Amino acid sequence: MSQDQVEQPTIPYGMHSIDESDIRAVVGVLRSDWLTTGPRVEEFERVFARTVGATEAVALANGTAALHAAMYAIGLGPGDEVILPPLTFVASANAVVMQGGVPVFADVDAATLLLDPDAVEAAITPRTKAILAVDYAGQPCDYETLRQIADRHGLVLVADACHALGASLKGSPVGSLADLTVFGFHPVKAITTGEGGMVATLSPDFARRIRLFRNHGITTDHHARARRHTWEYDMVDLGMNYRITDFQCALGLSQLGKLPQWIRRRQALAQRYTVAWNTLPGIVPLAVREGVEHAYHLYVVRLRANVLGVDRAHLFSHLRHAGIGVNVHYRPVHLQPYYRKTFGTGPGLCPVAEAAYEEILSLPLYPSLEEETVDWIIATLQAIVKAPTSLSVVGCS
Ligand SMILES: *Cc1c(COP(=O)(O)O)cnc(C)c1O
């Protein structure tokens, strides 16, 4: 093995669950006449909307396409600004840029790493069009305050809830808290369609615009034209092919039924990690706000190197060597080369996110992860902290 080849971790940080009922659902579609733009797409959208407390949901090819479509739907144009946190996957900011918009990075709260409403307020200019909140790790943002700010300044409130399917705030599900809420179904997310995404909304107009954008800016699909016995169609705006297949949506429907049990499982495993840190000072879980039902897409801790006696890089490499697929979510987007060169962003812009980036570590968390494995991960972490110079690792039974 060459030096730069890295061994595949044996325990990933995130992982899908597929069972026989999922497989049967997909195969059923493959045996049918509808592979795309058919009944399973509509059914997935209908059930999904109900699940997340929305009236409309539009399924798309992936979460990034869903974000892009949301930016189209709000009428984002060249020079329009969207305020978002830097502690997110690059796709959140990229979607703004794809519509010609300018991403304006506002800092996060130090305890939760969620978008800080005061920082949002301070970033508003006459060009601000929208707030794009990110439910980092699966915890809903402070939507009550963000809603007040959005209303006061006439802004659209969009949620990147790719981490937060199944989460809620004071009993209201994520999907009902913003004007548009975006979800993704990549295999590491709460449910999977392989690749897939969704925008949920309470606005029929936003939903219509997203459907238009999903289908080349054409007002009808080929099924609608067949029903009306016409070959004519109107392309009224520039759009994409961001459609999703019926077999993906059949998988999504089958997965959605298991979401509540999977969220409970993620919460229980997260609690198991969190309890362990009581005897491991220097490992600090993120704060969870009052009234939050957390979806725990990620289990993130902050590592205080001065307390632990070892730093994040050391822990990261030793855990990886032990076969534990830890990860770092995320390098702040404003520090990415593309954003530095295109928008002149750089260090100092969001000091809270930048400081957090030096300390954060995502530990494995997914529904099929066993309690014993969580305990072994905790023990391995403990052993590395206690013997920082040795490479020794406790055995996995
Ligand atoms: C996964 C993710 C996306 C993009 O979703 P894809 O389906 O991978 O395109 C966007 N934003 C966040 C925060 C994500 O975690």
Side-chain angles (χ1 to χ4, degrees), residues 62-64 67 88-89 91-92 134 160 162-163 184 186 189 196 330:
N62 54 66
T64 305
L67 278 165
T88 183
F89 185 49
S92 317
V134 177
D160 179 342
C162 286
H163 294 185
H186 179 275
K189 305 292 164 79
Y330 299 89

Side-chain angles (χ1 to χ4, degrees), residues 239-316:
M240 310 289 284
N241 175 358
Y242 276 163
R243 296 187 302 262
I244 187 170
T245 66
D246 277 62
F247 43 92
Q248 288 172 295
C249 289
L251 178 56
L253 265 167
S254 177
Q255 293 255 305
L256 200 52
K258 294 161 226 166
L259 179 66
Q261 82 199 47
W262 284 343
I263 296 294
R264 281 196 297 277
R265 177 76 186 159
R266 285 175 178 275
Q267 290 173 340
L269 294 175
Q271 186 59 20
R272 199 170 183 91
Y273 276 126
T274 295
V275 167
W277 315 142
N278 289 335
T279 54
L280 249 179
I283 299 186
V284 184
L286 301 185
V288 180
R289 294 173 56 244
E290 198 63 37
V292 160
E293 202 60 55
H294 201 310
Y296 282 107
H297 164 58
L298 299 174
Y299 185 80
V300 178
V301 289
R302 292 184 74 148
L303 305 169
R304 311 273 192 220
N306 57 342
V307 180
L308 290 168
V310 294
D311 65 9
R312 198 253 316 261
H314 179 93
L315 269 167
F316 182 92

Side-chain angles (χ1 to χ4, degrees), residues 92-230:
S92 317
N94 294 353
V96 174
V97 181
M98 283 187 267
Q99 282 305 103
V102 177
V104 174
F105 297 99
D107 216 341
V108 294
D109 172 80
T112 60
L113 303 187
L114 298 174
L115 188 56
D116 177 354
D118 291 337
V120 170
E121 190 110 51
I124 292 170
T125 76
R127 298 301 316 258
T128 307
K129 180 95 183 174
I131 301 167
L132 176 54
V134 177
D135 297 332
Y136 180 76
Q139 174 164 206
C141 292
D142 180 357
Y143 284 104
E144 290 168 323
T145 310
L146 292 175
R147 168 61 68 196
Q148 285 167 11
I149 295 170
D151 288 351
R152 202 171 331 117
H153 296 272
L155 310 176
V156 187
L157 182 55
V158 185
D160 179 342
C162 286
H163 294 185
L165 175 58
S168 63
L169 182 62
K170 297 186 181 167
S172 299
V174 166
S176 67
L177 301 164
D179 296 313
L180 293 152
T181 306
V182 176
F183 300 91
F185 309 130
H186 179 275
V188 295
K189 305 292 164 79
I191 66 165
T192 192
T193 58
E195 298 282 356
M198 191 79 82
V199 184
T201 182
L202 295 158
S203 153
D205 191 51
F206 281 144
R208 183 190 55 76
R209 288 179 59 80
I210 291 163
R211 288 178 204 284
L212 187 72
F213 193 67
R214 176 177 68 173
N215 191 38
H216 311 277
I218 292 171
T219 50
T220 54
D221 63 38
H222 67 279
H223 300 306
R225 289 195 291 282
R227 280 193 298 272
R228 283 202 250 142
H229 303 288
T230 178

